Amino acid sequence: MITVREAIDIVLNHTNRKAPEKVAIADAVGRVLAEDVISDMDMPPFHRSMMDGYAVRSEDVASAPAALRVVGFIPAGSFPGFSLSAGETAKIMTGAPLPEGADAVREVEKTGPGRDDTEVRILEAVRAGQNVVPAASEVSRGDVVLTSGTYLSPAAISILAATGHTHIKIYSAPRVAVLATGDELVEPSVVPMQGQIRNSNSSSLQAHCRALGLECDLLGIAKDDKMALKQRIQRGLSYDVLLITGGVSMGDLDFVDDVFRELGLRILFQKVAIKPGKPTVFALHENRPVFGLPGNPVSGATVFEVIVRPALRKMMGYPTWQNQIVRARLTSMFRNKSNRENYHPSVTWYEEGRFFCRPLDTRGSGDVASYAHCNSYLICPQDQKEVGKGTEIDVLLRDDYYMT
Ligand code: AMP
Ligand code: MG
C-alpha cells in the first residue's frame, strides 16, 4: 500500500495545467494568469496630489506661516495649463496633477484665510515632495506588472484594470464530472424507502469543485451492475476529470476497478495508507485523471481534500498546489485506531499567537452530521497510535478555513 505522500506525488506527476483562454477580467478572479501583463502607461501618469489643499513651491514655505497668492484651481480630471512662480500657489484636489513649478502640497486643514480672496496662509512648513506621488514612481510604461502564473486575487484584478487590460489570458479550468454508484442511493429530493439512503456525495463533491471555482456536472447514480456502470463511466470519460464515488472497496458489488480495466484505463494505484479513504483508485484515460473515491461520505470528501484538490489546483495553473498545513496544539487526546496516516475532522482556531485543534467526536466515516462542523483535519502519523492533549500536531486547514 502506498503512502499519502506517494499518492499525491503520483497524481501530480500525471496532471498538467490546461491550455490558456482569453476572458474578461470580471471572470478572472480566483484564476491564474497565463501571460505577462505590461503597463501601457506611467503610474501615476503625472505628479499627483494626495490631498485636498494647496500646491506650493516648497522653497516658498520652508518656514511658516507664509502668505501665498492663489493663481488657480485644479480639480481632479483637469490639467493645469499654467506654472507657479515665486510666491504663488494653486488650490488643488486629491488626484489632480501638480502645476509646473510646484513640488509639494499643503493639505487644506493646515491653511488659513489670507488678507483677501486671492491670498491663502500656509500654517505649517512644507518639504519638497510632501503629499505628492511623483509621476511613474509606482510603475513605468512598459513594466511587467504581473507575471504569467500569478494567482488573480481581487488586488491583481485592480492592476489589470488600471493598466487597461479588460481581457487577459488565464489557464482554462478543467471540466469535472461526478458519478455516484450504489443500488441503495436515491437523489436528495427523494424520501428514501427501506434500505435506501440519499446520495449526498455528488452534492458534496460538486460543492468542493464549485468552491474551487470549477464547473462540475453531476452524472447521476449508476446501479451496482457492470453494464450500467460501464455505460455511465464511458459518458464521464469525456470530462477533464471524472470523480466516481463508491464501488471501490472489496464488496461483492464493487465493480469500479473491474470496469476501469475493461475500458482500458491505466490504474496507477488502488489503495492508499490513509484513514479514512483506503480504497482510493487513481487511473488515467488518455492522460485524463479518473478518481475512484470511497463511498463513505467523510472518506470521499477527505480524499478529495488531501489528494484530488492539489491535482485540480495544478490543472488550474495555481502556483501552489499543496494544502495548507499548520502546527496546532491538541485540546484533547487523539487515538489513531489504524495503521494508516489518519486525517481526522477537527475544528481549528487561532488564539493569542498559536493554533489550537479540537478533534471532532465522530461516529466514523459515514458521520456527515459531525463532519459538517469541521474546518480542518488533524494529521496523525501512520506510526503513531496516540497523540496526547497539549501536543503540537500537523493540521490541514481547509481552503475556506478563514471563512469558518
Ligand atoms: P461503497 O464504497 O460503495 O462500499 O460505500 C460505502 C458506504 O458509503 C456505504 O454505506 C454506502 O451506502 C455509502 N455511500 C456510497 N455512495 C454514497 C453516496 N453517493 N452518498 C452517500 N453515501 C454513500
Ligand atoms: Mg456501493
Side-chain angles (χ1 to χ4, degrees):
M1 197 160 33
I2 60 170
T3 65
V4 176
R5 185 69 256 165
E6 285 164 343
I8 294 172
D9 285 345
I10 291 171
V11 168
L12 287 175
N13 283 336
H14 290 90
T15 44
N16 294 304
R17 65 186 177 205
K18 301 255 305 154
E21 61 177 324
K22 205 154 191 155
V23 299
I25 57 173
D27 299 320
V29 70
R31 305 291 292 281
V32 179
L33 192 61
E35 62 181 334
D36 288 348
V37 170
I38 290 168
S39 178
D40 66 344
M41 60 187 280
D42 292 341
M43 291 175 68
F46 44 77
H47 300 306
R48 178 177 70 205
S49 175
M50 293 166 69
M51 295 286 176
D52 296 321
Y54 288 87
V56 298
R57 298 153 43 97
S58 55
E59 64 208 72
D60 290 349
V61 281
S63 62
L68 298 176
R69 204 160 67 78
V70 183
V71 297
F73 173 59
I74 315 165
S78 70
F79 199 83
F82 59 90
S83 58
L84 294 189
S85 305
E88 291 180 347
T89 184
K91 195 165 194 189
I92 191 164
M93 301 291 101
T94 303
L98 261 65
E100 194 90 33
D103 63 354
V105 171
R106 184 38 89 210
E107 58 270 46
V108 72
E109 295 87 334
K110 294 177 179 169
T111 66
R115 281 164 298 188
D116 57 40
D117 279 358
T118 67
E119 196 183 82
V120 66
R121 272 156 53 83
I122 307 294
L123 302 178
E124 223 175 85
V126 185
R127 279 174 288 106
Q130 224 175 328
N131 297 322
V132 176
V133 187
S137 59
E138 294 160 356
V139 170
S140 294
R141 182 183 171 160
D143 279 356
V144 175
V145 288
L146 294 173
T147 51
S148 181
T150 300
Y151 172 78
L152 294 171
S153 65
I157 301 297
S158 159
I159 183 72
L160 291 173
T163 53
H165 295 88
T166 58
H167 291 76
I168 39 126
K169 272 192 194 164
I170 59 168
Y171 290 107
S172 304
R175 289 171 54 248
V176 185
V178 175
L179 173 62
T181 74
D183 286 341
E184 75 278 33
L185 300 178
V186 293
E187 290 300 2
S189 57
V190 174
V191 179
M193 300 203 293
Q194 272 191 331
Q196 295 184 326
I197 60 159
R198 290 196 175 100
N199 167 20
S200 59
N201 289 353
S202 294
S203 302
S204 157
L205 292 169
Q206 184 182 51
H208 271 105
C209 290
R210 292 237 167 118
L212 265 173
L214 296 175
E215 303 261 333
C216 176
D217 289 348
L218 301 187
L219 304 183
I221 300 166
K223 290 281 174 204
D224 288 322
D225 159 287
K226 260 195 194 179
M227 273 316 290
L229 198 56
K230 202 167 175 175
Q231 275 173 2
R232 295 268 185 157
I233 290 179
Q234 248 165 336
R235 201 181 310 163
L237 291 177
S238 64
Y239 286 82
D240 295 313
V241 179
L242 175 59
L243 306 176
I244 299 166
T245 92
V248 286
S249 5
M250 299 302 289
D252 293 353
L253 299 177
D254 289 331
F255 296 131
V256 167
D257 53 338
D258 287 353
V259 171
F260 279 7
R261 281 192 200 88
E262 286 175 23
L263 288 169
L265 271 66
R266 190 173 143 218
I267 298 180
L268 284 115
F269 60 75
Q270 43 186 334
K271 272 197 180 58
V272 182
I274 182 172
K275 181 185 165 63
K278 180 167 78 171
T280 292
V281 184
F282 176 60
L284 292 173
H285 171 254
E286 295 166 359
N287 292 326
R288 291 200 293 272
V290 180
F291 293 89
L293 304 176
N296 262 315
V298 178
S299 314
T302 305
V303 171
F304 181 95
E305 306 256 10
V306 178
I307 297 174
V308 179
R309 196 169 58 191
L312 293 175
R313 282 217 189 103
K314 185 177 179 193
M315 295 178 88
M316 294 174 81
Y318 274 44
T320 54
W321 317 319
Q322 307 84 333
N323 290 309
Q324 304 175 61
I325 293 188
V326 297
R327 296 288 284 175
R329 189 165 286 201
L330 273 194
T331 60
S332 61
M333 182 246 253
F334 178 76
R335 277 214 177 85
N336 182 7
K337 293 182 204 132
S338 74
N339 51 359
R340 291 168 267 149
E341 192 165 72
N342 197 326
Y343 285 73
H344 188 81
S346 306
V347 174
T348 298
W349 69 98
Y350 192 75
E351 194 177 310
E352 293 180 355
R354 64 158 46 101
F355 284 102
F356 291 90
C357 174
R358 176 169 58 83
L360 283 172
D361 186 16
T362 78
R363 300 282 158 271
S365 44
D367 186 356
V368 281
S370 70
Y371 182 63
H373 303 287
C374 100
N375 67 0
S376 54
Y377 303 84
L378 72 82
I379 308 175
C380 183
Q382 198 164 354
D383 52 11
Q384 212 164 321
K385 289 283 154 262
E386 202 175 290
V387 191
K389 178 178 172 177
T391 309
E392 291 245 312
I393 190 167
D394 276 354
V395 172
L396 186 158
L397 297 184
R398 242 185 16 217
D399 246 15
D400 53 358
Y401 165 80
Y402 290 99
M403 292 162 199
T404 60

